[in-house]
Amino acid sequence: MVEFLPVASVVPHERHLPTVKVRVPRNSTKLHHGTLSIGEWTVPCVVGRGGLIVASLKREGDGCTPIGVFPLRYGLFNSSRWTPPSSGLSFPLVPMTDEMVWEEDAESPTYNRLTITPGGAPDAERINRIRSELPFDIVVPIGYNDASVEPYRGSALFIHAAKADMSGTAGCVAVRESDLQRLVSRLVPGMIIDIDFDEPTDKQPSQPGPIEIYQFRGLRPGPRLLVLGAVHGNEICGPQAIRAIIAECTGRKLKIERGLVTFVPVVNLKAFLKGEREGDRNFNRDLREVTVPKQYEDYVANQICAMMREHDVLLDLHSFRSQGSPFVFVGPRDHDSLIEPFARAAEEEAFASVLGPDLILHGWLSTNVNALMAGTGRAEWSHGGLTLSLSSGVGTTEYMRFAGGYGVTLECGSHLDSQAPVIAANAIRRALAALKLIDAPFPERTVKWAIELVDVIFAEDPDDRLAKAWKTGDQVGAGDIIAHRASGEEINAPDAGYIIFPDSAPEPGKELFYFGRMSSRFS
C-alpha cells in the first residue's frame, strides 16, 4: 500500500496568501450554516452538523469542523462524472481511481492518508464509490491533522458538494454542486482555507465571559430540569450534545410541553477555552457558594448553585480520561444521617434507570468521606499539607440533593469516544420524556447492573503508577496488583471488584483510582 505524504500541515496566516474563507455565525441556531468566499465571491456553505470546534478539541466522528487555517494542496475528481474545463485549471486536480482509499481507521498506520491499494480497493472503501447522493464527484482535501497525524483527532476533511437539503456534514465544508465547480475554477496553488466564526476566535476576549444559558418553558406545569455541560473543560461531549438538543428545540423537532428545561452548554468556560479539566481548580469538588470568591470557579459556583436551587432535577454530562463504557452516577438510598441525608432516592433511581447506559454506580460521597475520616493522610497533599474538608467530595449532584432536588451524573465514555456526544444527546431526550416535559412514550429501563464504590486511592508521588492500562469497569480479583507506589510497594485489590476512573498520570493528592464492588441495589 502506497501513501501520499503531505508536505506540511501548519501554514502561517499571512494576508497575501490566496484564501478560501469560511465563516459561520457564532450565535445562530443553525450551527452548520455559513458562507464561503474567495475575495468578493461569496456563496452559502455548510460545515459539520455539530458546528465549529476549537481544533485542539476536534475528535474523530464528533461531527464538528475544526477552527483554523489549513492548506489546500490538490483536489480529486471522478472522471466518469465530471470533466475539467477545456481551458484548464490553475489548481492541481487528479482523477480518482479504484485503487484510492482515504484511511479513516484511527488505529491504522495510514490514518488520515490518501492511500493506493495495488490491484484495486474493496468497493465499499473506494473514494469514488457510489453513494445515494454524489457529493464526492469533486473533493479538495483540507490539510488538517495530516503532517504529524494524531489518532482520533479527525480525518477525511474535504471541500465537496453539499446534499440537496444543505444539511450538516460529518465535519467537511460543503457548497452547492453548481457552486463547487465555480469554486474549483477559482482555486490556485498555495491556497489556504480559513475556518472560523463570523467574529474570529482570535478576537474574542482572552478572559472568559458570562455563562451562556438557554431555557425553554412549557405552557403547562411540570418539573424543572437543569442540564449542565463542561463542568470540566476537557469534557466536550456535553456541550456538543446540548447544542444539538437546543437546535432540535428551536427547530421544533423537540417541543417542551410542560415545566421547563435549562441548558448550560459550558459551565466552566475558563477551563473549556484552555481545553483543560480545570480553570483555577476542580469545580466539582467542595462545590458551594463562596461569600468572598477568589478563584474563577468560585464565581461560577455562586451562579450554578443558585440555579440548582431553582430546579427540581439535574442531569450533569461528563466523560472520563481512561477507556471504558458509559454509566450513570446516583446518590445514596434514603436516609437521615449527617452525611448527605436524602428522601428522593426512588425518583432518582427511576430517572437514572432510563437514561441509556446499562451500568449505575453509587457510593461517591461516602467513599470520599470515609477516605478522609480514615486518618490515613492520603488526601493531605492536595492543598500544601492541609487536610481536605469532608465537603471535598461535594459536586453538582451532591449540592442538588442538599438543595432538595435530585440529580445524576452521566459519564458518557472516554473523552476521545466519538459516541460520547451521541450517548449524551440520547440521554437528554430520554430525560425530557421521562419527566414528561415532552409528549413522548416513557423510555424503557436500560440499567442491568450496579457497582458500589468502596475506596479511593490517592497518588502520593508523581511516580506512583498503575500496574497496567486499566479501563473504567475492568474487573479484578482479590490480591491482583492494581498499581505501584514510587517506592515499589504494590497496591493490591482487597477482594474481587472493579477499577473506576484509573488515572495513568495523576498529580500527588489526586485520585489514582477508585475501587468498587458488585452491588445488588439495581438488580
Side-chain angles (χ1 to χ4, degrees), residues 409-420:
T409 297
L410 175 60
E411 295 283 354
C412 301
S414 167
H415 299 330
L416 300 179
D417 189 344
S418 62
Q419 287 301 301

Side-chain angles (χ1 to χ4, degrees), residues 278-297:
E278 304 172 7
D280 296 330
R281 64 171 177 84
N282 190 336
F283 179 85
N284 221 25
R285 299 291 187 274
D286 198 15
L287 178 62
R288 54 191 167 83
E289 289 170 291
V290 182
T291 305
V292 183
K294 296 179 180 179
Q295 297 175 304
Y296 173 77
E297 280 81 359

Side-chain angles (χ1 to χ4, degrees), residues 242-301:
I242 290 172
R243 293 192 186 282
I245 297 298
I246 290 170
E248 292 183 13
C249 290
T250 56
R252 309 288 285 178
K253 184 176 180 180
L254 286 176
K255 184 180 178 183
I256 304 302
E257 300 282 359
R258 302 168 192 84
L260 68 86
V261 57
T262 302
F263 295 107
V264 185
V266 178
V267 170
N268 195 333
L269 184 58
K270 184 172 185 177
F272 184 77
L273 292 174
K274 292 166 58 181
E276 298 176 1
R277 180 177 173 84
E278 304 172 7
D280 296 330
R281 64 171 177 84
N282 190 336
F283 179 85
N284 221 25
R285 299 291 187 274
D286 198 15
L287 178 62
R288 54 191 167 83
E289 289 170 291
V290 182
T291 305
V292 183
K294 296 179 180 179
Q295 297 175 304
Y296 173 77
E297 280 81 359
D298 297 342
Y299 291 94
V300 177

Side-chain angles (χ1 to χ4, degrees), residues 375-437:
T376 62
R378 287 179 299 184
E380 292 180 357
W381 308 281
S382 58
H383 285 293
L386 296 177
T387 302
L388 293 175
S389 68
L390 294 181
S391 62
S392 62
V394 174
T396 55
T397 53
E398 290 76 24
Y399 189 93
M400 190 69 189
R401 295 180 198 111
F402 161 78
Y406 64 87
V408 301
T409 297
L410 175 60
E411 295 283 354
C412 301
S414 167
H415 299 330
L416 300 179
D417 189 344
S418 62
Q419 287 301 301
V422 177
I423 291 166
N426 187 49
I428 298 173
R429 298 185 192 98
R430 284 173 162 267
L432 295 173
L435 297 173
K436 302 187 184 302
L437 271 65

Side-chain angles (χ1 to χ4, degrees), residues 24-25 102 126 169 214 227 264 295 348 382 410 455 485:
V24 175
W102 201 283
R126 296 173 182 174
T169 69
Y214 297 84
V227 183
V264 185
Q295 297 175 304
E348 186 175 275
S382 58
L410 175 60
D455 200 6
R485 294 293 185 193

Side-chain angles (χ1 to χ4, degrees), residues 32 44 113 138 151 167 177 331 455 485:
H32 60 280
R113 301 282 198 225
I138 305 172
S167 55
E177 186 175 6
D455 200 6
R485 294 293 185 193

Side-chain angles (χ1 to χ4, degrees), residues 37 54 58 167 187 213 223 231 253 271 319 356 413 439-440:
S37 60
V54 177
K58 168 70 181 167
S167 55
L187 296 179
I213 298 170
V231 162
K253 184 176 180 180
S319 59
D439 286 332

